[in-house]
């Protein structure tokens, strides 16, 4: 079980780190993301032993949700890339992983679950953690410094969109997806993302707004294979975890937030202020409370 958890943490953190590397080496992020999803489809089909897009699956009620999820995959992956490049890897990781509070809140209304006590405190701490992690001190000129809480559009968009995606995945998993069709659903989602992204990219090629470069394809492959196996590890961890899903996912997210922040500091020399580190610590506490608040 721990190997799958470690695999999920390391591979998911690798995805966020890779977008910073794309910026460093001049890789076109959108092209890399499109090639990444094509790679995910090929990898998933190879691992599962078959290609899931056929008539019987298209007629299934979950297929339309897989298409919607694929569209969100493309959009959110681009937002993750922009956030990592403009605001830093730690900010992108926190905004992405703390979005779990959105499905937690929605579950109160959709599934009549209760959020009270320590779990409610965790939700409140999560909001504070996002603010502290995104705080910056930005120099405007040599004599003037702007201080305060900076509300960045990309972390906010990432926070909201990732939360809505998590809520959608949770709803579809509860309503439509079984252990037998889970792999077909996942690869179909990747196929939807690949189809949408490829269509947009082809149009841009024809209009000469994009130019193919082999390094973009290579980057897509280097992102795509770990992307598929990050989810593969997560699925196997959730199957073997002794905790409930509501606890297992937050534990996984805690590891990703911490590992990403440390790796970004080592590999890319990202400097975090004391307030930023406070936000990261609060995020870990918040995720823990959301996961285990009912047991405290």
């Amino acid at each position: 079980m721990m190997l799958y958890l470690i695999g999920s943490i390391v591979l998911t953190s690798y995805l966020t780190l890779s977008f910073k590397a794309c910026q460093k080496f001049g890789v076109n992020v959108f092209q890399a993301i499109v090639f990444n999803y094509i790679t995910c489809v090929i990898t998933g089909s190879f691992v599962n032993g078959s290609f899931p897009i056929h008539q019987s699956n298209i007629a299934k009620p979950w297929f339309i949700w897989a298409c919607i999820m694929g569209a969100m995959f493309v959009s959110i992956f681009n937002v993750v890339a922009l956030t990592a490049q403009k605001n830093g890897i730690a900010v992108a990781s926190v905004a992405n992983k703390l979005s779990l509070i959105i499905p937690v809140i929605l579950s109160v209304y959709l599934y009549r679950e209760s959020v009270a006590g320590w779990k409610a405190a965790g939700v409140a701490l999560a909001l504070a953690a996002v603010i502290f992690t995104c705080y910056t001190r930005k120099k405007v000129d040599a004599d003037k410094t702007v201080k305060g809480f900076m509300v960045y559009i990309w972390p906010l968009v990432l926070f909201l969109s990732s939360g809505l995606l998590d809520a959608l995945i949770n709803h579809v998993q509860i309503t439509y997806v079984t252990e037998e069709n889970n792999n077909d659903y996942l690869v179909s989602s990747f196929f939807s993302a690949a189809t949408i992204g490829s269509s947009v990219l082809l149009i841009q090629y024809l209009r000469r707004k994009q130019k193919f470069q082999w390094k973009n394809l290579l980057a897509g492959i280097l992102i795509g294979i770990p992307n598929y196996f990050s989810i593969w590890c997560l699925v196997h961890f959730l199957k073997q975890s002794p905790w409930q899903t509501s606890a297992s996912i937050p534990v996984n997210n805690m590891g990703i937030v911490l590992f990403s922040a440390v790796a970004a500091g080592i590999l890319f020399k990202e400097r975090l202020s004391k307030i930023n580190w406070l936000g990261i610590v609060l995020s870990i506490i918040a995720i823990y409370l959301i996961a285990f608040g009912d047991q405290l």
Side-chain angles (χ1 to χ4, degrees):
M1 180 201 78
M2 290 304 299
L3 287 177
Y4 291 126
L5 175 60
I6 294 171
S8 174
I9 290 171
V10 173
L11 292 175
T12 304
S13 300
Y14 166 87
L15 298 178
T16 308
L17 294 165
S18 66
F19 291 124
K20 197 76 172 181
C22 285
Q23 183 182 35
K24 181 178 180 180
F25 293 105
V27 172
N28 184 289
V29 172
F30 179 69
Q31 289 190 36
I33 288 173
V34 172
F35 294 134
N36 143 75
Y37 282 119
I38 295 173
T39 302
C40 284
V41 173
I42 296 172
T43 304
S45 298
F46 177 79
V47 171
N48 297 325
S50 64
F51 182 61
I53 310 300
H54 46 75
Q55 187 61 41
S56 61
N57 275 346
I58 293 175
K60 298 288 178 61
W62 54 259
F63 188 80
I64 184 64
W65 292 107
C67 294
I68 294 172
M69 195 167 96
M72 296 182 72
F73 271 167
V74 175
S75 304
I76 293 172
F77 229 40
N78 276 282
V79 176
V80 171
L82 286 168
T83 305
Q85 292 177 354
K86 294 181 180 295
N87 300 86
I89 293 168
V91 174
S93 180
V94 170
N96 192 12
K97 294 307 169 186
L98 278 185
S99 63
L100 66 89
I101 70 171
I102 293 179
V104 168
I105 293 173
L106 288 177
S107 68
V108 175
Y109 299 96
L110 296 177
Y111 311 116
R112 299 185 181 277
E113 296 182 6
S114 62
V115 177
W118 288 111
K119 183 172 285 191
V123 171
L125 272 182
L127 296 174
V130 172
I131 295 173
F132 286 136
T133 307
C134 295
Y135 174 83
T136 189
R137 177 178 294 179
K138 185 177 179 181
K139 292 183 178 179
V140 176
D141 54 47
D143 301 315
K144 184 178 180 182
T145 300
V146 176
K147 297 180 181 180
F149 293 110
M150 304 297 292
V151 183
Y152 289 103
I153 185 63
W154 292 121
L156 178 61
V157 172
L158 176 58
F159 177 76
L160 294 174
S161 58
S162 294
L164 291 175
L165 176 60
D166 288 342
L168 172 63
I169 293 173
N170 185 51
H171 174 71
V172 175
Q173 289 282 351
I174 292 173
T175 310
Y176 300 106
V177 177
T178 64
E179 187 172 346
E180 288 72 25
N181 63 24
N182 183 67
N183 287 329
D184 285 353
Y185 174 75
L186 179 61
V187 178
S188 296
S189 300
F190 285 142
F191 181 77
S192 171
T195 301
I196 294 170
S198 297
S199 300
V200 174
L201 184 59
L202 179 60
I203 292 172
Q204 292 181 346
Y205 279 154
L206 294 175
R207 292 182 176 180
R208 300 183 185 278
K209 292 185 177 181
Q210 294 270 8
K211 182 179 179 181
F212 175 80
Q213 292 180 299
W214 285 104
K215 66 180 179 180
N216 299 329
L217 174 60
L218 177 61
I221 295 172
L222 293 177
I223 294 173
I225 295 175
N227 188 15
Y228 175 82
F229 282 107
S230 69
I231 299 177
W232 184 86
C233 285
L234 178 60
V235 169
H236 282 75
F237 163 65
L238 292 176
K239 286 181 180 178
Q240 297 185 16
S241 174
W243 307 308
Q244 294 181 350
T245 302
S246 59
S248 298
I249 291 178
V251 167
N252 182 67
N253 288 0
M254 271 193 294
I256 292 169
V257 168
L258 186 57
F259 185 87
S260 297
V262 174
I266 295 173
L267 297 176
F268 298 105
K269 310 300 180 184
E270 284 194 359
R271 294 184 178 181
L272 299 176
S273 68
K274 292 180 179 178
I275 292 180
N276 297 149
W277 277 111
L278 175 60
I280 291 174
V281 172
L282 288 179
S283 71
I284 294 172
I285 296 173
I287 293 172
Y288 178 84
L289 291 177
I290 292 171
F292 303 106
D294 293 338
Q295 301 174 24
L296 297 177

